[in-house]
């Protein structure tokens, strides 16, 4: 008689063993904590249901039986076009149990991108979240000639199924596979268990296509061992994580950060609660779930900070005044305390000594007020995150210093990490107990990093420059990808014969092995005068203005740099009302001299010699855009600017910036 308990006994491993593949990782954790919550998800009426490790594992094995009967076998590549949800996790693991690998993408992806990926990888079967995602394929089904079967998590209607059939694609309901899975026999389940043990760590687990910030997406091949490597080191890296912690899942599940964290959560015997990246939905879900951990991109945390200010404003002028005072004093205290106790990354001992000297008095003077505001203000803000939050992990973009300081002020650990899809993804991570600002933390236990000299972004040698030297970041370890799918030429360009991968980022190492990110080599702007300008630090500085939502710096082969700026609409409208600026529409408002002067002054205050920028890095001209950047259009799913797309979309505006015709020119 097949039972989960019997199987776990047969395949019993040594304590804390993760196994040689991701399926063994889950099976071993089921043995160790069968009753821990693994999944929390919303049911049909919008309330959360909970499933244990034992129940989820049984569901996975049964679904693997059904998919095997359907014809999926070892080595197959299967598409997964969906956002995060409990079915994604079940389907992903069922495929892994069969020795297959998925090719995932999110619902924000455009049809051309999805069709390219499915065609390039030759997927015959693909999971879709709903009819809308399937439609992206059906509109040009001839571009995916090998796709024969589509499985939809949300059941489609008969018309969609008939239309797809006419185009040569059979459509199936996921619920039917789940029903079929319940009929699996003991012999079928036992066969799946044996199939699991045939998978080696070097076998392919997924092909994640890069988000296309620089052109055609590239398929990053990641193995079971790539993910297991960082999962094994997670107890050392996330020392504050505890058995049974709940992690709120809001990022697209195909995103390598969310994907990597999923396996880390399992290694730490935690649970996953599914939500949405919309800040208001997320906040409501956190009140119900009370998670200990949240994984997100910087913009998510920026949005949380902005929502806190909006909430204070809604309560009235006195509440807003109190909130602003509390945050101003709190930030001052945390700024001083961090410098006094050494929680700021420094590359010079003298700077660290000076930090202690000039931060002592501000820390002492503001400490009593901080304690008072902590009782009446900061604790209420923590409750917006569920009240039990241990830490928030952020990656996938530049973390704003103001956002970092806000979270420090309210007493929530914001753990910045650095990595890339090609390293599954973690290369470095901040200390979970005492995160330092000014860096992306220490090198992850399974990785090694070296800094290499360069000229215009091209490495000059493979010699490590050592500590406190600026150069290109190279990384090596078990987490490094096997390469790009069907592109050995591109793989050779990025990974050398000794296994070192060129991250394409500029950085330096502190004497305590902390990684400081200084910019992106591929994004470097070279001016006509020969000056190399890194746009990201300038963009980050401009975005510190409360009146700026997004900024993109341009100027390749020009005399000066310029910027495309998306103003913060709510703040601009409020400024106009407070200053009695006459306007008809928002579009006409951002063209007024008053608003352009406001933004000009903000830029000049934030980007000048006093704030550490060279003369060539000052923004000569700018133009204001009337709409926020959208995922799939100007930014990718990781909310990173796709510069090549912006250059095409705003070619006219960019041309005007360097032709002297823009109204916001100085």
């Amino acid at each position: 008689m097949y039972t989960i308990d019997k199987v776990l006994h047969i395949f019993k491993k040594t304590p804390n063993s993760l196994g040689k593949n991701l399926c063994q990782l889950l099976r071993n954790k089921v043995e160790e904590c069968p009753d821990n919550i693994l999944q929390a998800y919303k049911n049909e009426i919008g309330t959360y249901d909970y499933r244990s490790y034992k129940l989820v594992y049984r569901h996975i094995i049964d679904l693997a039986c059904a998919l095997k009967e359907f014809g999926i076998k070892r080595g197959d590549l299967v598409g997964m076009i969906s956002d995060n949800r409990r079915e994604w996790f079940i389907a992903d693991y069922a495929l892994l149990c069969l020795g297959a690998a998925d090719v995932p993408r999110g619902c924000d992806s455009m049809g051309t991108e999805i069709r390219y990926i499915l065609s390039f990888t030759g997927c015959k079967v693909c999971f879709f979240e709903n009819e809308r995602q399937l439609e992206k394929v059906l509109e040009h089904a001839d571009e995916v000639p090998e796709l024969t079967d589509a499985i939809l998590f949300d059941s489609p209607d008969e018309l969609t199924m008939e239309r797809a059939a006419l185009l040569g694609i059979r459509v199936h309901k996921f619920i039917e596979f789940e029903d079929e899975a319940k009929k699996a026999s003991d012999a079928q389940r036992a066969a799946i268990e044996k199939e699991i043990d045939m998978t080696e760590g070097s076998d392919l687990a997924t092909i994640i296509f890069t988000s296309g910030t620089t052109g055609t997406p590239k398929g990053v091949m990641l193995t079971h061992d790539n993910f297991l490597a960082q999962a094994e080191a997670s107890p050392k890296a996330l020392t504050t994580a505890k058995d049974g912690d709940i992690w709120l899942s809001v990022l697209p599940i195909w995103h390598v950060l969310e994907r990597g964290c999923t396996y880390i959560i399992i290694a730490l015997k935690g649970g996953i609660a599914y939500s949405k990246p919309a800040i208001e939905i997320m906040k409501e879900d956190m009140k119900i779930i009370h998670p200990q951990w949240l994984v997100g991109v910087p913009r998510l945390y920026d949005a949380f900070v902005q929502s806190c200010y909006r909430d204070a404003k809604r309560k009235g002028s006195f509440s807003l005044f109190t909130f602003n005072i509390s945050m101003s004093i709190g930030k001052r205290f945390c700024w001083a305390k961090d410098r006094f106790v050494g929680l700021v990354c420094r590359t010079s001992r003298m700077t660290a000594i000076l930090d202690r000297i000039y931060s002592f008095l501000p820390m002492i003077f503001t400490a009593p007020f901080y304690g008072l505001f902590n009782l009446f203000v900061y604790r209420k803000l923590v409750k917006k995150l569920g009240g039990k939050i241990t830490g928030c992990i952020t990656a996938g973009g530049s973390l704003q210093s103001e956002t970092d300081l806000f979270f420090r002020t309210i007493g929530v650990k914001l753990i910045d990490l650095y990595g890339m899809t090609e390293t599954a993804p973690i290369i470095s991570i901040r200390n979970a107990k005492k995160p330092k600002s000014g860096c992306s933390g220490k090198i992850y236990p399974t990785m090694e990093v070296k800094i290499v000299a360069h000229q215009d972004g091209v490495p000059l040698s493979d010699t490590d420059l050592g500590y406190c030297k600026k150069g290109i970041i190279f990384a090596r370890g078990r987490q490094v990808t096997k390469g790009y799918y069907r592109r050995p030429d591109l793989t050779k360009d990025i990974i050398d014969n000794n296994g070192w991968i060129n991250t394409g980022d500029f950085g330096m190492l502190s004497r305590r092995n902390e990684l400081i990110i200084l910019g992106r080599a591929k994004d470097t702007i070279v001016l006509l005068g020969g000056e190399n300008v890194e746009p990201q630090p300038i963009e980050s500085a401009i975005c510190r203005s409360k009146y700026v939502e997004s900024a993109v710096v341009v100027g390749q082969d020009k005399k000066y740099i310029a910027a495309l700026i998306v103003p913060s609409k709510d703040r601009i409208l409020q400024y106009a009302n407070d200053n009695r600026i006459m306007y008809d529409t928002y579009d006409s408002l951002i063209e007024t001299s008053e608003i352009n002067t406001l933004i000009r002054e903000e830029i000049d205050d934030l980007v000048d010699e006093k704030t550490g920028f060279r003369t060539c890095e000052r923004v000569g001209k700018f133009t204001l855009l009337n709409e926020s950047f959208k995922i799939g259009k100007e930014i990718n799913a990781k909310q990173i600017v796709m510069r090549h797309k912006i250059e095409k979309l705003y070619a006219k505006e960019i041309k005007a910036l360097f032709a002297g015709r823009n109204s916001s020119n100085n």
Side-chain angles (χ1 to χ4, degrees):
M1 178 69 180
Y2 176 100
T3 66
I4 293 295
D5 291 329
K6 182 177 180 181
V7 169
L8 294 177
H9 175 73
I10 294 173
F11 294 102
K12 187 174 182 180
K13 303 293 180 180
T14 57
N16 298 321
S17 169
L18 298 191
K20 67 177 181 178
N21 61 55
L22 293 171
C23 300
Q24 287 187 352
L25 161 66
L26 178 58
R27 186 169 66 192
N28 293 337
K29 294 307 169 181
V30 172
E31 176 190 340
E32 295 173 21
C33 55
D35 298 320
N36 276 19
I37 297 299
L38 177 53
Q39 287 190 313
Y41 57 92
K42 289 182 180 178
N43 54 31
E44 292 79 5
I45 62 174
T47 59
Y48 272 96
D49 284 340
Y50 301 84
R51 288 194 177 185
S52 68
Y53 269 71
K54 188 174 181 178
L55 286 175
V56 172
Y57 184 69
R58 176 61 179 261
H59 193 174
I60 289 168
I61 296 299
D62 287 351
L63 181 62
C65 293
L67 292 178
K68 184 177 181 180
E69 287 297 308
F70 183 68
I72 295 176
K73 61 185 182 303
R74 180 170 295 277
D76 283 353
L77 297 178
V78 179
M80 291 274 279
I81 313 301
S82 172
D83 285 339
N84 56 344
R85 52 190 294 165
R86 65 134 188 133
E87 294 92 344
W88 200 106
F89 181 96
I90 302 296
D92 169 50
Y93 251 110
L95 292 172
L96 293 175
C97 287
L98 295 173
D102 62 57
V103 183
R105 206 65 183 164
C107 292
D108 61 326
S109 300
M110 294 181 292
T112 52
E113 195 171 29
I114 292 173
R115 294 191 298 272
Y116 169 81
I117 290 171
L118 295 179
S119 175
F120 189 72
T121 53
C123 291
K124 296 180 180 179
V125 180
C126 182
F127 288 85
F128 293 90
E129 177 155 334
N130 48 39
E131 291 181 48
R132 185 179 178 185
Q133 306 314 313
L134 176 61
E135 280 293 334
K136 295 177 181 179
V137 169
L138 297 183
E139 60 188 8
H140 291 288
D142 58 305
E143 295 180 12
V144 285
E146 295 187 59
L147 184 66
T148 58
D149 293 272
I151 304 171
L152 271 63
F153 291 140
D154 293 339
S155 296
D157 60 32
E158 294 300 322
L159 289 176
T160 299
M161 297 178 72
E162 290 174 4
R163 180 177 171 231
L166 291 174
L167 294 171
I169 299 175
R170 296 182 292 269
V171 178
H172 313 270
K173 300 176 182 179
F174 182 74
I175 192 171
E176 293 176 349
F177 279 86
E178 291 189 303
D179 291 340
E180 189 66 26
K182 296 174 184 177
K183 303 175 185 177
S185 67
D186 290 349
Q188 287 176 308
R189 296 183 182 115
I192 297 299
E193 296 288 354
K194 291 181 180 179
E195 192 75 46
I196 287 173
D197 292 327
M198 292 174 60
T199 300
E200 299 297 328
S202 58
D203 288 347
L204 191 64
T206 186
I207 300 177
I208 299 179
F209 278 76
T210 56
S211 302
T213 57
T214 56
T216 304
K218 297 171 289 188
V220 180
M221 297 186 290
L222 295 174
T223 67
H224 287 254
D225 194 59
N226 288 152
F227 289 115
L228 279 174
Q230 63 187 10
E232 287 176 4
S234 58
K236 294 181 180 179
L238 296 169
T239 53
T240 54
K242 297 179 181 178
D243 185 332
D245 279 355
I246 297 296
W247 298 60
L248 198 72
S249 173
V250 295
L251 289 182
I253 190 61
W254 68 268
H255 188 297
V256 70
L257 174 61
E258 188 73 22
R259 186 75 174 271
C261 284
T262 294
Y263 305 126
I264 287 176
I265 292 167
I266 295 171
L268 296 171
K269 306 177 192 175
I272 304 168
Y274 298 99
S275 183
K276 298 291 183 182
I279 192 67
E280 296 305 324
I281 295 175
M282 188 187 79
K283 284 164 63 177
E284 288 302 313
D285 289 344
M286 293 185 94
K287 291 178 183 177
I288 300 170
I289 294 296
H290 306 293
Q292 283 76 34
W293 293 89
L294 171 65
V295 181
V297 292
R299 284 176 183 259
L300 182 71
Y301 300 109
D302 293 342
F304 175 78
V305 173
Q306 292 168 8
S307 74
C308 290
Y309 278 96
R310 284 197 302 269
D311 291 344
K313 184 179 178 181
R314 290 193 194 105
K315 294 178 181 178
S317 56
F318 178 76
S319 176
L320 181 60
F321 174 77
T322 304
F323 184 81
N324 286 335
I325 290 295
S326 68
M327 293 311 302
S328 178
I329 293 176
K331 288 179 180 179
R332 182 64 179 173
F333 170 76
C334 291
W335 178 90
K337 181 186 175 184
D338 285 350
R339 279 152 182 76
F340 185 77
V341 301
L343 288 182
V344 178
C345 181
R346 298 299 190 198
T347 56
S348 167
R349 291 183 180 179
M350 181 56 68
T351 305
I353 294 172
L354 291 174
D355 272 349
R356 290 198 170 191
I357 294 173
Y358 65 70
S359 64
F360 178 71
L361 288 179
M363 181 182 69
I364 295 298
F365 289 146
T366 55
F369 299 101
Y370 180 83
L372 182 65
F373 287 129
N374 186 48
L375 292 173
F376 298 104
V377 180
Y378 309 145
R379 290 184 182 180
K380 292 181 180 180
L381 298 178
V382 176
K383 287 183 179 180
K384 293 179 184 289
L385 293 168
K388 295 184 179 180
I389 200 77
T390 298
C392 297
I393 293 176
T394 176
S398 177
L399 177 63
Q400 298 295 322
S401 58
E402 282 297 310
T403 300
D404 195 2
L405 191 54
F406 181 95
F407 276 82
R408 286 174 178 269
T409 300
I410 67 175
V412 175
K413 302 289 191 301
L414 199 53
I415 304 168
D416 191 18
L417 66 82
Y418 165 75
M420 56 193 303
T421 303
E422 290 84 347
T423 57
I426 309 174
I427 293 176
S428 68
I429 186 170
R430 285 183 180 178
N431 186 295
K433 286 184 177 179
K434 298 179 179 180
K436 279 188 179 182
S437 62
C439 69
S440 294
K442 289 193 174 183
I443 306 307
Y444 204 70
T446 55
M447 296 293 286
E448 55 182 317
V449 164
K450 67 179 180 179
I451 307 298
V452 172
H454 71 94
Q455 183 174 356
D456 298 331
V458 179
L460 296 176
S461 72
D462 58 1
T463 303
D464 187 0
L465 293 176
Y467 297 117
C468 305
K469 300 290 185 181
K470 299 178 182 179
I472 294 181
I473 303 169
F474 277 69
R476 182 170 66 179
R478 282 170 56 194
Q479 290 160 238
V480 175
T481 176
K482 293 176 67 173
Y484 296 116
Y485 183 69
R486 291 175 54 190
R487 292 303 304 268
D489 55 326
L490 296 180
T491 302
K492 187 177 180 180
D493 288 343
I494 195 172
I495 303 174
D496 67 20
N497 294 331
N498 295 316
W500 287 100
I501 185 169
N502 181 347
T503 67
D505 290 319
F506 294 134
M508 64 188 297
L509 284 170
S510 74
R511 296 189 181 278
R512 297 193 176 186
N513 212 34
E514 298 151 336
L515 188 58
I516 303 168
I517 309 301
L518 300 174
R520 183 78 182 149
K522 293 180 181 178
D523 293 339
T524 301
I525 294 172
V526 183
L527 299 177
L528 277 180
E531 302 93 343
N532 288 345
V533 175
E534 295 301 320
Q536 288 185 347
I538 301 170
E539 292 162 355
S540 296
I542 295 172
C543 288
R544 292 189 189 117
S545 168
K546 64 181 181 180
Y547 298 109
V548 175
E549 179 181 299
S550 304
V552 176
V553 170
V554 294
Q556 179 66 34
D557 298 323
K558 304 297 182 183
K559 293 181 179 180
Y560 55 86
I561 63 169
L564 300 172
I565 292 177
V566 178
S568 176
K569 188 172 182 178
D570 291 343
R571 296 287 178 88
I572 292 295
L573 291 173
Q574 184 62 49
Y575 180 86
N577 293 333
D578 291 345
N579 291 274
R580 300 180 180 179
I581 300 173
M582 302 297 292
Y583 65 95
D584 295 324
T585 63
Y586 178 69
D587 287 4
S588 65
L589 174 61
I590 61 174
E591 292 179 356
T592 62
S593 60
E594 291 92 339
I595 297 303
N596 277 270
T597 298
L598 169 67
I599 299 299
R600 178 79 264 174
E601 291 175 349
E602 290 287 303
I603 293 174
D604 290 345
D605 286 340
L606 294 166
V607 185
D608 69 355
E609 287 83 354
K610 293 180 181 178
T611 53
F613 291 93
R614 298 172 294 166
T615 301
C616 66
E617 293 173 322
R618 299 191 66 181
V619 178
K621 298 179 182 179
F622 66 90
T623 191
L624 302 182
L625 306 178
N626 61 0
E627 292 185 0
S628 298
F629 291 155
K630 296 180 178 64
I631 293 177
K633 185 179 179 183
E634 294 97 348
I635 56 178
N636 61 29
K638 293 185 286 185
Q639 302 198 29
I640 296 175
V641 168
M642 295 187 285
R643 297 182 188 276
H644 70 289
K645 286 193 174 183
I646 285 179
E647 288 173 0
K648 292 181 180 179
L649 288 168
Y650 299 100
K652 182 179 178 181
E653 288 83 354
I654 293 173
K655 183 178 180 180
L657 285 170
F658 299 103
R661 295 194 300 268
N662 189 270
S663 62
S664 60
N665 288 346
N666 220 6

